[in-house]
């Protein structure tokens, strides 16, 4: 199909979008240190700006194709622009087929929105970072990594198959490791980078297994092929397609006997094998991959620690790129997930429990970035909950809106930290909200944008969060996967009736906690009295002014850091530069008004409301998957939507009102009293439910023990025995040989004499050697030749020889019946009259019972 610019099947603008961030990473990485900060900044921002412009043009073209398909009468148009770089590889597929994997990229409704978010929000974060990191020594390296991060994310979302997505998947994992540990001189940063890298590798295992399963059952790894063959994942009479979980592979356990002790392994064999469908196995493995990237239970622990990196990195990871990859993956393969109700309920409950757990931890944290980090984990839980119940559009819409308000919140926190860092150079203290307060008067733009984004995340009516998060809560109550409807069947197992209410209850409770802890952040940071230092005129010109902006953020220039006397008057904290403030304003505006793209909640009041642009835009992508989602009838669904909307509003009102009562009206006194009443519980929540400690005691210790064992084997066997002992033997041999190789002629002559003596002995002594060949019980023994040899065979060693005298017969043939044995003897006499003898016992095993031993006698 012809688009505005190119052919839909050969759309090179996709390559242009991909190449620009990669070009920026290359130029800044290779030449950045010599180019200087200004050139690095221009390069980084230029490639992002042009990439965003190209993404907008591609999106417009995609919309043009979609409109053309609608005009042509296509019911659910799924327009797609694609570009093939080259054929990557061909591998063997099922039934003798071949699976072709191309390095191909495509843009459809889903990846088109993601492309705009990644390049658009990424551009704003680049603008912000260009000022925030201005004093950092690794400025060029930072923007190299940042551009590379955006490139990897674009590969992930624009890849037209799972293998290409996996390349981007690993790329963002690598970039997160590099950026989180950007200040690698600090141990917490390096540790956080490693933690993110390792946690994501666990999830990657699931994604790799899912790719193998899809290749086997669907015979394809590209999006169109998987969608076309998804029904192959469902068992039927022609395709069993059940995967044995236990016993593995469907084999049988046999009892094992060792030293007379019988181990009854057959008892491990269940009467009925434990099985699951291929669709469930694929969905669970894909979800394991998603839990790693999108920080869900039990692999969420890396994301809060990721804030150890520079604040723009936190904004990029938490908002627009890496953490959304798991949600994107589930949405992209939604046609597979809806075939597996058991996997979907696992997804939904994992998301709900992650959201609740993270919200409880965020309640008591004092580090502003740490609260936002756990808030991200909680909101990701909402997204996973949404796609888990089959509300793919609602889940993806929360990805979209969350990108704006979470990026704004993190950058706003960075602006606050930038101001606090002017006097408090310690990272922990400058990020502690207990040292803040009253900043609304000193940082009005940061305050306004931060409050706007906070209203969005807590679901203030008519903001984007109200429409996206509350939509997920409502859908939780009225939707559930219907099983294998796509394959024309109904799943044997369906969701229990209580599941939706349980998920909905958790979601509402989490919404209440979200409103409380986010309002707590606003009140502690921007209201009340400023607690950072005494504001006033400095007694004398101070180095504070001199170093004001030199240390306005969390750089790694520790050698210049010093501790001011905060009791001495100092200038008030001030607003950040415009290069940092403008992105905040843009993001806040997008956060507030983005909800207009899918204001589904209005349908609660008017069933005829049809203005749902994103819902219509994504209908072609989720059309097949939504056919496998069950909805209650209209009246029940409407009544539940009303109940959910009221509950969500009450959760917002109670949470926000509670925080206002605690932190504004009572100056935090109720929170302190509660903390003193239940100190153990407070400490437990403050320590993040000690999940990290649990992992340290179990998984980490187990891996450490395995590593210690491997190290011991390496040092004891490989290094000591194989390497050192071998070296010792060689050295000893060399020492002996050095005694002989000493240049003394008579020693050499003596060695020659000994050698000749040995040869003479070998030729003078006869050798009674023979070989044995067997064929059907007939044995043929052949003696080895020698000078002047004569042979005498004894078919039975206890009886007389076959011949009286030695002769030249070198062979002896005999038959040994089944189950019997025979000892033969050979005597050899050489030309010098010397005789040698050798005995050999031949044992023939008894024939095994079976059909081959049955003889049929003819009558």
């Amino acid at each position: 199909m012809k688009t505005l610019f190119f052919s839909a099947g050969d759309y090179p603008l996709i390559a242009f979008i991909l190449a620009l961030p990669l070009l920026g990473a290359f130029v800044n990485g290779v030449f950045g240190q010599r180019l200087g900060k200004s050139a690095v900044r221009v390069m980084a921002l230029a490639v992002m700006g042009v990439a965003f412009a190209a993404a907008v043009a591609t999106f417009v073209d995609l919309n043009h194709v979609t409109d053309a398909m609608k005009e042509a009468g296509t019911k659910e148009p799924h327009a797609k622009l694609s570009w093939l770089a080259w054929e990557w590889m061909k591998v063997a597929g099922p039934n003798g087929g071949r699976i072709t994997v191309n390095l191909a990229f495509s843009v459809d409704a889903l990846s088109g929105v993601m492309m705009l978010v990644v390049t658009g929000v990424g551009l704003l974060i680049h603008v912000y970072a260009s000022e925030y990191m201005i004093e950092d020594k690794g400025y060029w390296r930072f923007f190299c990594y940042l551009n590379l991060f955006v490139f990897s994310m674009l590969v992930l979302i624009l890849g037209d198959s799972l293998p290409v997505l996996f390349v981007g998947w690993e790329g963002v994992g690598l970039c997160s490791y590099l950026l989180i540990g950007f200040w690698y001189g600090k141990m917490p940063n390096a540790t956080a980078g490693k933690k993110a890298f390792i946690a994501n590798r666990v999830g990657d295992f699931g994604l790799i297994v899912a790719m193998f399963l899809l290749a086997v059952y669907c015979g394809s790894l590209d999006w169109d092929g998987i969608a076309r063959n998804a029904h192959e994942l469902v068992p039927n009479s022609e395709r069993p397609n059940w995967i044995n979980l236990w016993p593995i592979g469907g084999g049988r356990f046999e009892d094992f006997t060792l030293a007379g002790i019988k181990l009854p392994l057959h008892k491990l064999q269940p009467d009925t094998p434990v099985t699951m469908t291929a669709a469930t196995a694929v969905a669970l493995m894909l979800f394991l991959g998603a839990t790693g990237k999108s920080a869900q239970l039990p692999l969420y622990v890396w994301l809060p620690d990721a804030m150890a990196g520079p604040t723009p990195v936190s904004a990029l990871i938490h908002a627009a790129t890496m953490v959304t990859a798991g949600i994107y993956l589930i949405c992209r393969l939604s046609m597979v997930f809806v075939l597996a109700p058991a996997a979907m309920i696992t997804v939904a409950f994992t998301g709900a429990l992650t959201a609740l757990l993270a919200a409880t931890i965020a309640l008591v944290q004092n580090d502003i970035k740490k609260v936002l980090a756990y808030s991200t984990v909680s909101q990701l839980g909402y997204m996973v909950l949404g796609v888990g119940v089959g509300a793919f559009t609602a889940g993806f819409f929360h990805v979209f809106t969350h990108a704006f308000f979470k990026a704004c919140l993190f950058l706003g926190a960075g602006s606050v930290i930038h101001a606090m860092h002017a006097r408090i150079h310690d990272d922990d203290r400058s990020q502690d909200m207990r040292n803040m307060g009253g900043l609304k008067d000193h940082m009005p733009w940061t305050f306004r944008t931060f409050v706007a984004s906070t209203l969005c995340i807590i679901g203030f009516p008519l903001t984007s969060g109200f429409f996206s998060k509350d939509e997920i809560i409502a859908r939780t109550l009225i939707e559930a996967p219907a099983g294998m409807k796509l394959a024309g069947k109904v799943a044997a197992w369906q969701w229990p009736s209580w599941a939706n209410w349980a998920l909905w209850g958790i979601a509402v409770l989490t919404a209440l906690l979200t409103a409380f802890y986010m309002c707590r952040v606003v009140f502690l940071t921007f209201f009340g009295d400023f607690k950072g230092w005494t504001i006033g005129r400095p007694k004398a010109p101070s180095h504070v002014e001199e170093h004001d902006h030199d240390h306005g953020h969390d750089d790694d220039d520790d050698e210049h850091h010093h501790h001011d006397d905060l009791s001495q008057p100092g200038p008030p904290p001030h607003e950040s530069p415009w290069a940092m403030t403008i992105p905040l304003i843009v993001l806040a505006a997008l956060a507030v008004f983005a909800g207009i793209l899918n204001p589904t909640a209005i349908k609660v009041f008017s069933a005829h409301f049809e203005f749902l642009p994103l819902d219509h835009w994504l209908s072609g992508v989720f059309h097949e998957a939504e056919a496998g989602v069950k909805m209650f009838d209209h009246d029940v669904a409407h009544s539940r939507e009303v109940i959910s909307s009221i509950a969500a509003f009450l959760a917002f009102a109670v949470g926000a009102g509670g925080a206002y009562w605690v932190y504004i009206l009572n100056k935090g006194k109720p929170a302190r009293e509660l903390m003193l009443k239940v100190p153990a519980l407070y400490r437990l929540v403050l320590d993040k439910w000690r999940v990290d400690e649990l992992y340290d005691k179990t998984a980490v210790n187990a891996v450490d023990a395995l590593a210690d064992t491997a190290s011991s084997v390496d040092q004891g066997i490989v290094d000591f025995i194989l390497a050192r002992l071998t070296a010792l033997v060689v050295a000893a041999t060399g020492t002996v040989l050095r005694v002989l190789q000493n240049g003394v002629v008579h020693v050499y002559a003596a060695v020659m004499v000994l050698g000749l003596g040995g040869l003479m002995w070998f030729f003078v002594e006869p050798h009674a050697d023979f070989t044995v060949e067997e064929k059907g019980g007939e044995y043929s023994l052949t003696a080895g030749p020698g000078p002047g040899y004569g042979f005498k065979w004894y078919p039975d060693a206890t009886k007389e020889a076959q011949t009286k005298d030695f002769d030249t017969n070198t062979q002896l043939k005999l038959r040994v019946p089944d189950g019997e044995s025979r000892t033969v003897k050979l005597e050899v006499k050489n030309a010098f009259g010397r005789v040698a003898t050798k005995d050999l016992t031949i044992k023939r095993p008894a024939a095994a019972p079976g059909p081959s031993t049955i003889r049929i006698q003819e009558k």
Side-chain angles (χ1 to χ4, degrees):
M1 178 176 289
K2 187 67 178 175
T3 67
L4 292 174
F5 306 115
F6 308 100
S7 168
D10 185 16
Y11 202 84
L13 200 55
I14 298 175
F16 191 64
I17 297 169
L18 287 166
L20 284 168
L22 184 62
L23 176 66
F26 175 78
V27 172
N28 284 335
V30 177
F31 308 107
Q33 196 168 14
R34 295 183 179 182
L35 290 175
K37 291 181 177 177
S38 298
V40 168
R41 171 187 253 181
V42 169
M43 187 68 201
L45 298 186
V47 295
M48 286 303 303
V50 178
F52 177 63
V56 171
T58 303
F59 191 83
V60 171
D61 222 355
L62 182 67
N63 184 53
H64 171 76
V65 175
T66 303
D67 290 341
M69 293 176 71
K70 288 180 180 177
E71 291 177 2
T74 306
K75 186 177 180 182
E76 298 291 348
H78 185 192
K80 186 174 179 179
L81 311 177
S82 57
W83 175 70
L84 172 64
W86 64 76
E87 288 189 359
W88 189 359
M89 56 184 167
K90 289 183 179 179
V91 296
N95 302 321
R98 305 282 289 176
I99 299 175
T100 301
V101 179
N102 294 327
L103 191 62
F105 301 90
S106 64
V107 178
D108 65 354
L110 184 66
S111 55
V113 176
M114 284 294 293
M115 176 182 62
L116 288 179
V117 171
V118 172
T119 55
V121 177
L123 171 62
L124 292 171
I125 293 174
H126 272 67
V127 173
Y128 179 97
S130 68
E131 184 63 32
Y132 187 87
M133 300 292 293
I134 194 66
E135 297 298 332
D136 198 283
K137 292 182 295 187
Y139 195 75
W140 59 277
R141 186 165 55 90
F142 178 79
F143 279 100
C144 168
Y145 294 163
L146 215 58
N147 280 160
L148 193 62
F149 201 158
V150 173
F151 165 74
S152 300
M153 190 64 196
L154 288 172
V155 171
L156 192 156
I157 60 175
L158 298 180
D160 196 45
S161 64
L162 265 174
V164 179
L165 175 144
F166 191 70
V167 173
W169 191 274
E170 292 302 297
V172 295
L174 171 65
C175 292
S176 67
Y177 166 73
L178 295 173
L179 284 168
I180 295 169
F182 181 72
W183 293 316
Y184 53 82
K186 299 178 180 178
M187 185 55 71
N189 297 55
T191 303
K194 288 190 292 184
K195 192 174 184 179
F197 190 80
I198 294 172
N200 276 279
R201 298 292 76 73
V202 177
D204 293 348
F205 167 76
L207 185 53
I208 292 172
V209 172
M211 279 196 282
F212 280 115
L213 290 173
L214 284 170
V216 170
Y217 288 98
C218 292
S220 180
L221 289 173
D222 60 84
W223 307 137
D224 291 340
I226 294 173
R228 188 169 53 250
N229 300 321
H231 63 279
E232 298 285 348
L233 298 168
V234 180
N236 59 32
S237 57
E238 298 177 356
R239 303 181 302 273
N241 286 359
W242 291 96
I243 294 178
N244 271 64
L245 295 179
W246 191 256
I248 297 174
R252 294 193 61 81
F253 290 107
E254 301 293 341
D255 293 346
F256 179 72
T257 302
L258 179 64
I261 301 175
K262 188 175 184 180
L263 301 177
L265 297 183
H266 73 277
K267 292 186 176 179
L268 297 176
Q269 181 93 27
D271 296 334
T272 304
V274 180
T275 61
M276 66 166 58
T277 67
T280 303
V282 171
L284 289 177
M285 288 297 102
L286 288 172
F287 182 58
L288 178 59
T291 55
K293 277 291 181 288
S294 291
Q296 297 297 290
L297 281 170
L299 300 178
Y300 74 94
V301 291
W302 69 269
L303 187 56
D305 288 2
M307 67 170 191
T311 300
V313 173
S314 303
L316 196 60
I317 291 178
H318 286 245
T321 54
M322 187 170 172
V323 297
T324 62
I327 319 298
Y328 172 78
L329 179 68
I330 298 174
C331 290
R332 173 57 69 192
L333 295 175
S334 54
M335 79 293 286
V336 173
F337 277 87
V338 294
L339 295 173
M344 290 288 276
I345 200 170
T346 304
V347 173
F349 270 99
T350 301
L353 294 176
T354 303
L356 180 60
L357 179 75
T360 59
I361 297 173
L363 284 174
V364 298
Q365 301 302 313
N366 296 310
D367 187 311
I368 186 171
K369 286 179 67 177
K370 195 171 284 187
V371 176
L372 296 180
Y374 279 103
S375 165
T376 300
V377 177
S378 183
Q379 297 303 306
L380 289 169
Y382 269 116
M383 300 169 202
V384 172
L385 170 61
V387 296
V389 298
F392 298 105
T393 300
F396 183 72
F397 186 43
H398 200 49
V399 172
F400 181 73
T401 60
H402 180 263
F404 299 135
F405 53 71
K406 186 50 62 70
C408 185
L409 286 170
F410 258 109
L411 297 184
S415 181
V416 169
I417 295 167
H418 179 269
M420 296 295 292
H421 223 276
R423 287 289 302 271
I424 304 176
H425 303 308
D426 179 80
D427 287 347
D428 293 335
R429 293 174 61 203
S430 65
Q431 295 175 191
D432 194 327
M433 293 183 292
R434 292 171 295 186
N435 295 327
M436 301 176 187
L439 291 177
K440 67 182 179 62
D441 298 325
H442 305 294
M443 308 179 69
W445 283 109
T446 300
F447 167 67
R448 292 166 190 155
T449 55
F450 199 95
V451 169
S453 297
T454 300
L455 292 176
C456 295
I457 198 172
I458 66 177
F460 186 80
L462 303 183
T463 61
S464 62
F466 168 78
F467 288 116
S468 61
K469 187 179 71 178
D470 291 1
E471 176 66 9
I472 291 176
I473 297 174
R475 292 285 168 180
T476 300
L477 206 53
I478 62 176
E479 288 189 1
M484 306 174 188
K485 188 176 178 180
L486 273 179
K489 297 183 66 179
V490 176
W493 185 87
Q494 296 288 340
W495 281 33
S497 57
W498 55 264
N500 287 85
W501 286 102
L503 292 169
W504 178 79
I506 296 173
V508 172
L509 176 59
T510 305
L512 188 151
L513 298 180
T514 303
F516 184 89
Y517 72 70
M518 285 307 303
C519 289
R520 172 176 176 263
V521 172
V522 173
F523 297 147
L524 288 179
T525 305
F526 295 101
F527 288 84
D529 298 327
F530 180 64
K531 308 175 194 67
W533 58 83
T534 303
I535 295 176
R537 180 184 295 275
K539 293 180 180 178
S542 154
H543 54 273
V544 172
E545 291 290 342
E546 179 185 345
H547 291 283
D548 188 4
H549 293 292
D550 289 352
H551 308 287
H553 50 77
D554 40 357
D555 65 17
D556 63 342
D557 202 6
D558 287 335
E559 63 269 25
H560 298 301
H561 283 178
H562 48 268
H563 295 284
D564 290 321
D565 183 1
L566 299 179
S567 63
Q568 297 299 316
H574 56 80
E575 188 60 89
S576 300
W578 282 109
M580 294 170 60
T581 307
I582 289 176
L584 294 178
I585 297 171
V586 176
L587 286 169
L590 291 171
V592 171
F593 297 109
I596 198 172
L597 291 177
N598 212 46
T600 313
I602 296 179
K603 296 187 74 172
V604 174
F605 307 101
S606 172
H608 302 290
F609 185 78
E610 293 293 338
F611 182 74
L612 300 172
L614 189 68
D615 198 48
H616 297 311
W617 176 253
L618 296 174
S619 60
V621 178
F622 297 134
H623 172 66
E624 292 186 0
E626 288 175 349
V629 178
K630 175 181 68 179
M631 287 192 65
F632 293 96
D633 62 61
H634 179 268
D635 293 336
V636 174
H638 183 70
S639 62
R640 291 192 176 191
E641 281 181 327
V642 173
I643 293 173
S644 180
S645 297
I646 295 173
F649 179 79
L650 289 176
F652 148 74
V654 172
Y660 182 80
W661 178 74
V662 172
Y663 294 102
I664 297 296
L665 297 181
N666 292 286
K667 310 296 183 186
K669 184 179 177 183
R672 291 190 292 273
E673 291 176 348
L674 182 62
M675 180 183 68
L676 295 174
K677 286 181 180 177
V678 285
L681 178 62
Y682 170 75
R683 193 69 221 175
L684 183 62
V685 180
L686 188 64
D687 289 344
K688 300 163 284 186
W689 297 104
R690 294 181 188 150
V691 175
D692 283 295
E693 287 78 0
L694 176 65
Y695 286 175
D696 287 341
K697 294 292 184 184
T698 54
V700 175
N701 278 356
V703 173
D704 284 346
L706 185 63
D708 290 341
T709 304
S711 176
S712 299
V713 170
D714 178 56
Q715 294 177 4
I717 297 179
V718 178
D719 284 357
F720 184 74
I721 296 178
L722 298 183
R724 295 183 184 179
L725 191 59
T726 305
L728 183 63
V729 170
V730 172
T733 305
T735 302
V736 173
L737 293 177
R738 276 199 301 274
V739 173
L740 302 175
Q741 189 73 21
N742 54 12
V744 180
V745 177
H746 63 267
V747 173
Y748 295 161
V751 172
M752 292 176 64
V753 169
L754 289 175
L756 288 173
L759 286 173
M760 290 177 64
W761 174 84
F762 180 81
F763 286 111
V764 169
E765 283 296 315
H767 303 282
D769 296 328
F770 52 82
T771 59
V772 180
E773 293 182 0
E774 186 271 342
K775 186 175 182 181
E778 297 290 339
Y779 289 82
S780 177
L781 287 70
T782 304
Y789 276 16
F791 306 96
K792 186 185 288 185
W793 290 97
Y794 293 79
D796 187 338
T798 60
K799 297 181 179 179
E800 294 295 327
Q802 194 177 45
T803 58
K804 185 176 180 181
D805 298 321
F806 289 94
D807 57 22
T808 57
N809 180 21
T810 60
Q811 287 196 328
L812 173 66
K813 294 183 181 296
L814 74 161
R815 178 177 180 78
V816 180
D818 293 344
E820 296 185 7
S821 63
R822 183 80 59 82
T823 301
V824 298
K825 185 168 73 173
L826 170 66
E827 282 186 357
V828 177
K829 184 178 180 182
N830 64 5
F832 300 99
R834 299 188 65 82
V835 177
T837 304
K838 186 173 184 178
D839 294 348
L840 173 69
T841 300
I842 300 173
K843 292 182 179 179
R844 181 166 177 76
S852 61
T853 63
I854 298 175
R855 296 179 179 178
I856 302 174
Q857 186 176 4
E858 294 183 359
K859 294 182 179 178

